[in-house]
Amino acid sequence: MRIASGIRTGVAVAALAGALCFAASAGAAEITVLSSQGCLSAVRDLAAGFEKATGNKVNVSFEAGNALNEKINANAPADLVANGIETFEGYIKGGKIAPDSVAEFARAGNGVAVKAGTVKRDISTPEAFKQAMLNSASIGHTNAGTGPFNTRLFQKLGIYDMVKGKVKIITGRLVAAAVATGDIEIGIQQTNVIQPYEGTIYLGPLPKELMEYGRFGAGLLTISKEPEVAKAFIKFITTPENAGLIRKSAMETPAS
């Protein structure tokens, strides 16, 4: 089953037309969004904007690692899921997400951080980034979300064999936390996750020539008790006028 046509911003807009008006006029309601860490920052900012615009309440439940899938599979009370776009096909096949409800709303690539008080590195060009990696004693990233992009990145730069021995896979905490404690010299993680973090300096995103993006979407849970308000939230987060709330959180809109 392919759902490529169902995970674009414009999909199901016709079905959602008028949902915002309904949500604002039908009295205050409360919905819950189950969100992965990858898009949590944008979901929180968008939820606050939706609450202000409609008077409805949005509870954002952050689920780390496999806890998100466990909640979805257990039919934990909620209305929406916000996660990597690649996960929704399985949710739909499993009957957890309503077909044709999924809309892509944000994307994010990787950024770089070092410990505060250490020498800043130039990562503004592919060559500068390459040298920063070669000159670092240790490099940290995760194997989740946009973490696997880094292996391809190092291979593309022709330095994989030179850096693989000093790469540390970070689990159970943010990459920035490992940078702050000095467990790694330089860290790479999704732009909206790696910053801000106390004790670190964010050097910026990868050069555009090297950037690879993780894509994020939202979909309606079939067990939702407030499906119309949940649909209105999907429409809100994919409306161009609300793109500033996504950019505020160090993410980008799909069309950026």
Side-chain angles (χ1 to χ4, degrees):
M1 174 184 177
R2 293 183 61 84
I3 62 167
S5 62
I7 57 177
R8 292 185 171 86
T9 301
V11 74
V13 166
L16 301 179
L20 275 174
C21 293
F22 176 92
S25 62
E30 187 169 329
I31 60 172
T32 296
V33 183
L34 303 180
S35 177
S36 66
Q37 186 177 65
C39 57
L40 180 63
S41 61
V43 171
R44 283 176 171 165
D45 286 335
L46 289 161
F50 182 76
E51 288 181 341
K52 184 176 180 180
T54 68
N56 295 305
K57 173 68 176 175
V58 183
N59 300 309
V60 180
S61 178
F62 162 50
E63 309 301 336
N66 196 47
L68 178 63
N69 289 327
E70 290 175 354
K71 275 202 167 185
I72 295 169
N73 290 329
N75 291 325
D79 301 279
L80 295 159
V81 172
N83 201 3
I85 203 73
E86 70 281 354
T87 65
F88 282 95
E89 184 170 1
Y91 297 154
I92 291 172
K93 284 182 177 180
K96 303 300 182 181
I97 293 290
D100 299 323
S101 73
V102 180
E104 185 177 348
F105 69 95
R107 69 177 188 176
N110 282 329
V112 184
V114 294
K115 187 174 182 177
T118 61
V119 178
K120 289 186 179 181
R121 310 295 178 83
D122 178 13
I123 62 164
S124 61
T125 67
E127 183 59 29
F129 175 83
K130 175 180 176 179
Q131 291 305 313
M133 296 299 103
L134 292 173
N135 294 335
S136 296
S138 57
I139 304 166
H141 67 81
T142 72
N143 264 346
T146 58
F149 294 174
N150 295 300
T151 297
R152 295 194 292 270
L153 173 62
F154 297 148
Q155 291 170 338
K156 179 179 179 178
L157 290 170
I159 60 172
Y160 178 73
D161 289 336
M162 290 176 272
V163 302
K164 64 181 181 180
K166 54 185 179 181
V167 169
K168 296 183 179 181
I169 302 301
I170 307 301
T171 59
R173 57 177 172 162
L174 298 177
V175 171
V179 171
T181 58
D183 292 333
I184 53 174
E185 187 172 328
I186 196 164
I188 309 172
Q189 197 168 20
Q190 199 171 292
T191 53
N192 61 313
V193 177
I194 201 168
Q195 56 142 341
Y197 197 91
E198 186 176 359
T200 70
I201 297 173
Y202 180 59
L203 300 181
L206 300 185
K208 63 180 181 179
E209 299 92 335
L210 302 178
M211 187 66 83
E212 186 174 355
Y213 288 98
R215 299 162 53 212
F216 298 92
L220 174 69
L221 282 163
T222 54
I223 63 167
S224 172
K225 302 296 186 183
E226 296 283 354
E228 295 306 319
V229 178
K231 290 176 184 178
F233 183 72
I234 294 176
K235 182 170 179 62
F236 182 87
I237 69 178
T238 57
T239 298
E241 288 75 15
N242 298 318
L245 294 171
I246 295 172
R247 291 191 289 268
K248 178 184 174 183
S249 68
M251 299 188 78
E252 302 176 14
T253 62
S256 297

